[in-house]
Amino acid sequence: MAQAFVTLHMMNIINLSFSENTFPTCWKHAKIKPLYKSADHKVVSNYRPISILPNLSKFVEIIANRQIIRYIESNKLLYSHQFGFRPKMNTAAAVVDLLDDIYFAIDKNLVVAVVFLDFSKAFDTVPHGRLLRKLACHFNFSDASVDWIGSFLTNRLCHTEVDNFASRKSHNRRGIPQGSILSPILFNTYINDIHHHINFSKVVCYADNTTLICSSSSIGSLVDCLNEDLASLSNYCKINKLKAT
């Protein structure tokens, strides 16, 4: 009886969240735990921040995530060469896709080059307003859906805990929350237009890992094409507040 009551109460909260286009404020507080990676223990960059979110928020996110993915995949709205965080796609498929292009270029006696890029702290730099505009304009999300996602992203708090010490709470002004179920698909939508800004290279993506593959009849023309594409990518990153390394 008690379990049924809790389940019913939880479903009422979830339904109210969607009907009111509001994500509960009490579920927006993240606890950050630094996880040691390697090297000097005294160097902050040698720790990976792990974001721990309230367990109850995951229930709402799972439902929203399923609906967003179903809508995007059924309407084929994501770039076909984005392999990250998608059903039936993985790193192996991305590697095969990349190798196919390399072998094809070699068979045609072309010179081929590959540039591997990574967006530094990608989830942390995404501006909320630009993401929401892309969801509305590029993906035709309804006003209600955009409002709910806007509520999910904004007014978030976080604090850091080390041993028995905790920092003061601070607001996250931008970025999509680390450790969130929704963040991967939201990031995919945010960079979904990246290939439109590249003229000569093919773009292969796995979430925030991006690869440019370019081929040409000569090294000189290949270098020129890659330089132009990298300049375009740099401009794209400036506009979208991303940093590629």
Side-chain angles (χ1 to χ4, degrees):
M1 175 71 80
Q3 184 176 0
F5 174 78
V6 171
T7 302
L8 179 61
H9 186 61
M10 188 65 196
M11 288 305 302
N12 288 335
I13 293 174
I14 293 173
N15 290 332
L16 185 62
S17 172
F18 290 132
S19 64
E20 298 291 331
N21 304 324
T22 303
F23 192 83
T25 302
C26 59
W27 292 348
K28 296 182 184 182
H29 188 180
K31 179 171 62 178
I32 311 298
K33 290 272 192 177
L35 180 66
Y36 173 69
K37 295 185 293 184
S38 61
D40 191 345
H41 285 265
K42 297 180 181 179
V43 178
V44 175
S45 59
N46 291 334
Y47 291 81
R48 184 189 307 278
I50 303 299
S51 180
I52 303 172
L53 297 170
N55 289 328
L56 291 178
S57 69
K58 303 296 179 68
F59 291 101
V60 187
E61 289 191 56
I62 288 172
I63 295 173
N65 192 56
R66 286 176 179 172
Q67 292 177 349
I68 291 173
I69 290 177
R70 187 183 302 117
Y71 166 73
I72 286 177
E73 294 293 343
S74 62
N75 289 282
K76 299 180 179 180
L77 298 177
L78 276 184
Y79 177 49
S80 59
H81 298 287
Q82 168 61 267
F83 293 90
F85 308 117
R86 300 183 65 184
K88 300 179 181 179
M89 288 188 162
N90 52 36
T91 52
V95 171
V96 169
D97 186 56
L98 182 62
L99 290 176
D100 280 345
D101 284 321
I102 293 174
Y103 292 143
F104 180 81
I106 293 174
D107 288 341
K108 295 294 183 180
N109 294 319
L110 299 174
V111 184
V112 60
V114 179
V115 179
F116 296 95
L117 301 164
D118 181 32
F119 291 116
S120 177
K121 299 181 180 179
F123 281 25
D124 297 331
T125 60
V126 173
H128 298 157
R130 180 171 289 274
L131 170 60
L132 296 175
R133 286 192 296 272
K134 287 188 177 186
L135 293 176
C137 298
H138 298 177
F139 292 87
N140 295 319
F141 275 35
S142 66
D143 292 343
S145 298
V146 172
D147 288 344
W148 187 88
I149 294 172
S151 175
F152 168 78
L153 292 172
T154 55
N155 297 320
R156 284 189 165 269
L157 290 172
C158 68
H159 77 277
T160 302
E161 286 190 8
V162 179
D163 296 329
N164 295 322
F165 299 93
S167 69
R168 290 181 297 177
K169 298 177 183 178
S170 61
H171 281 90
N172 293 338
R173 304 297 181 186
R174 62 170 57 191
I176 45 184
Q178 298 280 355
S180 161
I181 293 172
L182 272 176
S183 291
I185 187 61
L186 292 179
F187 184 77
N188 276 357
T189 61
Y190 186 68
I191 64 166
N192 191 60
D193 58 344
I194 188 171
H195 63 287
H196 292 308
H197 299 262
I198 306 298
N199 295 321
F200 301 104
S201 303
K202 176 181 175 180
V203 182
V204 178
C205 301
Y206 190 90
D208 57 345
N209 295 290
T210 302
T211 302
L212 302 184
I213 176 169
C214 187
S215 59
S216 184
S217 57
S218 69
I219 293 179
S221 61
L222 177 66
V223 170
D224 290 340
C225 290
L226 271 177
N227 284 336
E228 183 171 331
D229 282 343
L230 288 172
S232 298
L233 180 63
S234 176
N235 187 56
Y236 175 87
C237 288
K238 289 179 183 178
I239 293 172
N240 289 277
K241 310 300 181 185
L242 297 169
K243 182 180 179 182
T245 56

